[in-house]
Every structure is written in structure tokens, then in C-alpha cells.
Amino acid sequence: MTGADPEPGRQVRVWDRPTRVFHWVLVVLFIVCYVSGDRGRFDIHVIAGQALLILVVARIIWGFVGSDTARFRHFLRPVGEIVAHVRSLGERRPGHDAGHNPLGGLSVALMLFVLVVHMVSGLFAVDVDGWNEGPLSHVVSYEAARNASGVHAVTVDILLVLVALHVAAVGFHWLYKRDNLVLPMVTGRKRLPPEREALRLVPDLYALAALAVAASAVLGVVSLAG
């Protein structure tokens, strides 16, 4: 007599490769940007910042044309679903969301928004003496560039808070709800109920096209303004 499967269901591919690569490269580039800026290595900071902006723009494009779980319409849920999810947080059982849960999807959208504001402000930012400046700082007035620098400084603090909350949420799901959210972002697979419908996954080639469009847009604007 065989025992019952303690975690019934089947392994389903929920995250495509481009989304997983984006996630981990984003982590690396954010660390490089933060450390280089904190240590005054603006030669590295500017290049890493532009690379990060290209990555985020590509992710925004992917949010409209990518696989089901990568699309904004999939993880930006109605308020009622978000409230219901918050009320279920006390239940000590894994969730069965294919991709982001309602609260997680909202946090991802918020982080992307703040990232865009942070990086765009960095393009126009300049320090007090004008020694370190963003590649587009010369197209606006000094006062506007200093205001952009202030936005750049504030948004990095907001991002650090959002990242800390994100890590805490992952730890809460792992330790309390017995739901490992990190492993699917590595393997791409998660155990879901058998009745769950198959997800539509977009070929990786589409992501390369999105990255090419993002790189052309970001580098094109920077080079034209230069």
C-alpha cells in the first residue's frame, strides 16, 4: 500500500527562461549600481545603470508580449483578489498561484515603476559641483538636473525598502507557509493542482527581440542627446 502524495499535483513550467534570467541579472546589476554609486565609481555606475535601464525596458515590453505568467494582465489582479490573498496569509499551506500571487504581482509592478523613475532621473542627474553627471544632464537646466539628482537619491532608498520587503515576503512564504518561491525562479517549474490549465510560453527568441528594441531605444536616446 503506497502512501498518499503529501503534495498532490504535477510539476508545471510556470516561469519561462527570459523571465528567470531577467530576475537574476536584475539582482546583479542593482547590486553593481548601488555599490559603485556608494563608492563613487561613477564610471561603472553610469554603464551599469544604462544596462539596468535596458533590462527593465525589455521586461516592460515582455510584460505585454511575453509568456502568460510574465504578462502584467496575469499578475496585476483586482483589489478583491488582493484582499482575499492578504486574508489567507495566516493559513500554513503553500499557494497554488501559477506565477506571482496577487500581492507579489502588485509589489513587482511597484518595484518596476520605482526602478524606471530612479533610472530615468539618473540620466538627468548632476552633483553639486558638476563633476559627476548623467548622460542627459546637459539637455536640462542645472536646477532641473539637481532636482533629478534628489529624486535619484530618494528612489534608491525606496527601492532598498521594497527589496527588503520582497526578501522578507519570500522568507515568510518559505518558513511559515512552506512555499519555496525561489526554486521555481531557478528551475522554472512549480507543483500545481492537476486541473490547472497549461500556461502559454513564448519562445526565447521573442525576448531577444524585446531586448534588442529596448537597447536600441535607450542607447539611441542617450547617443542622440550626446
Side-chain angles (χ1 to χ4, degrees):
M1 180 176 179
T2 59
D5 187 349
E7 200 176 352
R10 58 192 176 92
Q11 290 287 340
V12 177
R13 191 175 170 202
V14 296
W15 294 119
D16 57 36
R17 186 180 294 108
T19 302
R20 287 179 281 140
V21 170
F22 161 80
H23 181 276
W24 297 114
V25 174
L26 175 70
V27 172
V28 173
L29 284 178
F30 182 78
I31 293 172
V32 171
C33 285
Y34 181 78
V35 173
S36 60
D38 187 59
R39 296 186 177 180
R41 291 298 307 271
F42 292 101
D43 53 334
I44 298 174
H45 187 73
V46 171
I47 294 174
Q50 291 182 36
L52 186 56
L53 181 57
I54 291 171
L55 186 69
V56 171
V57 171
R59 177 63 182 89
I60 292 173
I61 296 173
W62 198 240
F64 292 100
V65 303
S67 303
D68 282 346
T69 51
R71 294 198 177 198
F72 296 125
R73 62 175 174 80
H74 181 91
F75 63 79
L76 287 177
R77 312 285 182 81
V79 175
E81 290 188 27
I82 297 174
V83 172
H85 173 73
V86 171
R87 289 175 176 171
S88 71
L89 290 178
E91 301 173 6
R92 298 202 67 176
R93 59 180 178 83
H96 294 302
D97 297 283
H100 295 296
N101 61 52
L103 198 58
L106 184 63
S107 69
V108 168
L110 181 58
M111 278 194 283
L112 284 175
F113 174 75
V114 178
L115 266 171
V116 169
V117 174
H118 176 68
M119 290 179 295
V120 170
S121 64
L123 292 175
F124 295 93
V126 66
D127 60 11
V128 175
D129 55 18
W131 285 105
N132 298 303
E133 57 185 17
L136 302 183
S137 61
H138 62 282
V139 302
V140 297
S141 66
Y142 175 77
E143 182 181 0
R146 288 300 299 146
N147 289 335
S149 182
V151 172
H152 197 62
V154 170
T155 48
V156 74
D157 291 335
I158 296 174
L159 283 169
L160 291 174
V161 172
L162 292 176
V163 169
L165 290 174
H166 181 72
V167 172
V170 170
F172 169 77
H173 278 268
W174 180 33
L175 297 174
Y176 183 79
K177 295 184 72 67
R178 305 184 182 96
D179 193 3
N180 189 338
L181 302 180
V182 176
L183 187 60
M185 193 52 72
V186 175
T187 66
R189 297 183 177 274
K190 183 178 180 179
R191 187 176 291 275
L192 295 175
E195 65 273 13
R196 174 76 68 173
E197 294 182 5
L199 296 166
R200 187 180 67 87
L201 299 176
V202 175
D204 294 356
L205 186 61
Y206 286 62
L208 293 177
L211 185 62
V213 170
S216 298
V218 172
L219 298 179
V221 168
V222 171
S223 61
L224 285 175

